[in-house]
Amino acid sequence: MFDIQFENVCVTFGETEALKNINLHLEGGKIYGLIGRNGAGKTTLLSLLASYREPDSGKITVNGQKPFENPEIMPEITFIYEKDYSDESEKVKGLLDAAERYRPRFDRKYAEELLTRFGIPLDKPAKSLSKGKKAALNVTLGLANRTEVTIFDEAYLGMDAPTREIFYRALMEDYTDHPRTFILSTHLVSEMDYLFEEVVILHKGQILLKEPVEELLEQARAVTGTREKVNEFISDMKVLETQELGGVKRAVMYGKLSEEKMKKAEQLELEFETISLQDLFIHLTSEANPDA
Amino acid sequence: MKRKLDDSKPLFLQIKDRIEDQIVNRQLKEHEQIPSTTQLVNFYKVNHLTVAKGVNLLVEEGIVYKKRGVGMFVAEGAREKLLKQRRERFVDEYVVPLVEEAGKLGISDEEIFQLIKEIKGSEKDV
């Protein structure tokens, strides 16, 4: 298993700081969700990991080594993004041949099985496939590479809902049979959140948080009750959003609740609800949130 | 089988409940293999760590047992064990709240019995 470490990593494009002092440790063998709003720096972060570029300052190590132009590391990292196959006259079969040559662990049989599940013929040129089929071919190569680190950056773009479902299932099955590190960067948080063990939220070029999803969601909840009672309860809590309807108030909070606080909630007759990762993400990265 | 889980209790306990239901309803019999973690993840759309937590509780309680490299299986006597647990919980979870609520609403014992009879009667008609 390959550990990934970012230390004080910065990337600047002209005047824009795309990544500001990133410190991040990703333990090998887990499925990470990387989420962030448009322009948060997700693809920049991932392209560093895939050695498409070097950081302007700071250090990245994969399995203890610098990945950039490193022949021991690079074949073990797969970066799948929305790829343009419009000039690819090579047949699907030929692309499998190429992957087999370059990727030490490429599983040809598995790739062909997956292509069947996606309904992609081997003897067609890649450029003649529909947009959704191209994306499916792309994720097939990503899964069948079986590399230590596999990155899917919005790799589902163009796939319809049933095709995405095949992808999620295949990902989960293959992860169970061959545990390794996956990084899933996505906008479809609500659709994919159950796949994530840990989530990394990137916001404005910085790491907002990195936590196991379950622990994160345990700390997020909405509380509803009469306005005065809710106000009393949330006075010492980190509040992400409030809504009022008549005399009823609902507040989304983030933070651990002490036992004392739980008792208080019972006394005040407040109701709790859990919050989805998608909602929490929206609240944490909203412009209205002063800490965001 | 209900697919949607709610937020009334922790997800891992709901996963555990669903498997227990299948054992109680005889959909899963003794020494039969229960669905794999991956199957449960794909069905309920719940993270594999959460699923594993629920299944591990079933192992701890002796409801299912693990065969290395093969999967999880329903233990002998699992159904009887679950039925016994549920009978014990029946009083706390159903009878006590029923009696308490009936007290608040001023419903007499006679009326409660009558209601139960009516419900049972209407079930027979279905």
Side-chain angles (χ1 to χ4, degrees):
Chain A
M1 302 280 179
F2 282 14
D3 271 29
I4 297 167
Q5 188 95 42
F6 285 74
E7 283 171 59
N8 308 316
V9 168
C10 299
V11 173
T12 316
F13 298 120
E15 300 274 289
T16 323
E17 286 183 280
L19 294 176
K20 295 175 218 167
N21 207 28
I22 300 287
N23 285 292
L24 180 66
H25 175 220
L26 301 179
E27 224 176 284
K30 290 184 181 174
I31 303 181
Y32 293 93
L34 175 65
I35 60 181
R37 298 182 55 179
N38 294 326
K42 300 188 293 285
T43 299
T44 307
L45 184 89
L46 296 174
S47 59
L48 289 172
L49 198 52
S51 298
Y52 283 32
R53 58 168 299 135
E54 281 192 283
D56 293 322
S57 62
K59 198 170 103 182
I60 300 163
T61 53
V62 177
N63 201 26
Q65 303 184 46
K66 228 176 115 177
F68 194 74
E69 293 181 347
N70 183 333
E72 282 177 45
I73 301 297
M74 285 187 62
E76 284 295 350
I77 300 179
T78 300
F79 184 30
I80 300 293
Y81 53 95
E82 193 188 17
K83 202 173 166 186
D84 183 15
Y85 280 112
S86 56
D87 288 329
E88 187 57 79
S89 48
E90 185 70 79
K91 287 179 177 160
V92 173
K93 189 175 165 298
L95 293 175
L96 299 190
D97 294 339
E100 212 167 10
R101 276 195 300 273
Y102 184 58
R103 298 297 185 176
R105 269 193 277 251
F106 185 77
D107 187 334
R108 176 89 188 214
K109 201 170 147 265
Y110 173 67
E112 291 183 5
E113 261 172 46
L114 265 183
L115 290 175
T116 310
R117 276 164 83 176
F118 283 122
I120 299 173
L122 283 170
D123 54 357
K124 268 201 167 181
K127 67 175 176 187
S128 71
L129 298 172
S130 69
K131 196 170 182 230
K133 290 263 177 6
K134 279 178 190 147
L137 168 63
N138 225 349
V139 304
T140 299
L141 293 170
L143 288 171
N145 277 346
R146 297 261 165 79
T147 47
E148 285 282 354
V149 179
T150 308
I151 303 164
F152 289 113
D153 186 12
E154 311 275 355
Y156 52 77
L157 285 176
M159 290 184 190
D160 58 17
T163 309
R164 292 200 298 273
E165 181 64 29
I166 298 174
F167 168 43
Y168 303 153
R169 279 173 183 254
L171 172 75
M172 214 35 240
E173 284 160 14
D174 205 54
Y175 169 74
T176 311
D177 294 342
H178 305 275
R180 56 202 194 269
T181 307
F182 282 102
I183 303 173
L184 311 175
S185 159
T186 182
H187 284 123
L188 299 180
V189 182
S190 59
E191 198 174 288
M192 295 176 74
D193 59 359
Y194 72 98
L195 298 168
F196 309 157
E197 282 181 52
E198 293 199 14
V199 65
V200 177
I201 299 184
L202 197 61
H203 190 54
K204 295 182 177 167
Q206 292 177 302
I207 304 287
L208 195 64
L209 59 84
K210 171 195 174 268
E211 279 199 57
V213 175
E214 201 173 338
E215 285 172 32
L216 180 67
L217 293 180
E218 271 171 16
Q219 295 186 48
R221 50 177 76 70
V223 58
T224 307
T226 59
R227 186 192 299 130
E228 294 72 26
K229 286 177 176 172
V230 169
N231 284 343
E232 184 185 338
F233 188 74
I234 63 176
S235 60
D236 56 350
M237 297 292 302
K238 181 175 158 67
V239 177
L240 300 176
E241 195 212 39
T242 59
Q243 279 177 327
E244 280 189 42
L245 187 66
V248 177
K249 184 163 180 166
R250 178 177 181 271
V252 177
M253 312 177 303
Y254 180 66
K256 281 206 169 79
L257 285 186
S258 60
E259 225 161 273
E260 205 180 312
K261 215 57 187 150
M262 291 299 280
K263 267 188 207 140
K264 178 106 186 173
E266 213 168 297
Q267 282 168 12
L268 295 171
E269 296 175 316
L270 300 178
E271 273 183 49
F272 285 123
E273 283 164 70
T274 54
I275 295 288
S276 69
L277 183 60
Q278 164 116 329
D279 286 340
L280 182 63
F281 165 59
I282 291 170
H283 293 312
L284 284 172
T285 60
S286 117
E287 294 298 335
N289 187 357
D291 295 337
Chain B
M1 193 167 15
K2 220 170 79 175
R3 179 156 176 167
K4 198 110 182 80
L5 302 176
D6 52 46
D7 55 14
S8 60
K9 58 168 149 172
L11 290 175
F12 72 95
L13 287 180
Q14 294 187 55
I15 297 287
K16 177 173 176 273
D17 285 351
R18 296 302 168 84
I19 299 168
E20 288 183 355
D21 279 343
Q22 285 181 284
I23 296 171
V24 169
N25 298 335
R26 293 197 170 91
Q27 286 158 336
L28 287 171
K29 298 188 183 72
E30 283 179 7
H31 304 297
E32 243 179 48
Q33 189 166 5
I34 70 165
S36 71
T37 302
T38 313
Q39 285 171 325
L40 291 166
V41 168
N42 286 330
F43 190 83
Y44 291 115
K45 308 283 180 208
V46 167
N47 189 266
H48 69 100
L49 298 177
T50 311
V51 168
K53 210 164 154 186
V55 172
N56 285 340
L57 274 181
L58 290 171
V59 176
E60 274 170 34
E61 292 173 15
I63 304 298
V64 304
Y65 62 93
K66 194 187 278 183
K67 269 196 213 172
R68 270 207 196 282
V70 191
M72 303 281 189
F73 295 80
V74 178
E76 203 159 317
R79 186 168 178 272
E80 284 66 39
K81 207 182 244 176
L82 289 173
L83 285 176
K84 189 166 168 272
Q85 282 178 10
R86 288 198 178 189
R87 274 198 203 98
E88 285 164 9
R89 286 204 314 237
F90 182 74
V91 176
D92 289 335
E93 287 181 12
Y94 297 90
V95 183
V96 172
L98 174 84
V99 172
E100 279 178 2
E101 184 68 10
K104 279 187 214 160
L105 299 176
I107 298 174
S108 70
D109 294 357
E110 284 299 302
E111 280 174 285
I112 295 176
F113 296 143
Q114 192 55 42
L115 284 169
I116 293 172
K117 272 183 201 155
E118 277 171 26
I119 288 164
K120 286 202 153 182
S122 67
E123 266 180 358
K124 268 176 208 150
D125 296 338
V126 174

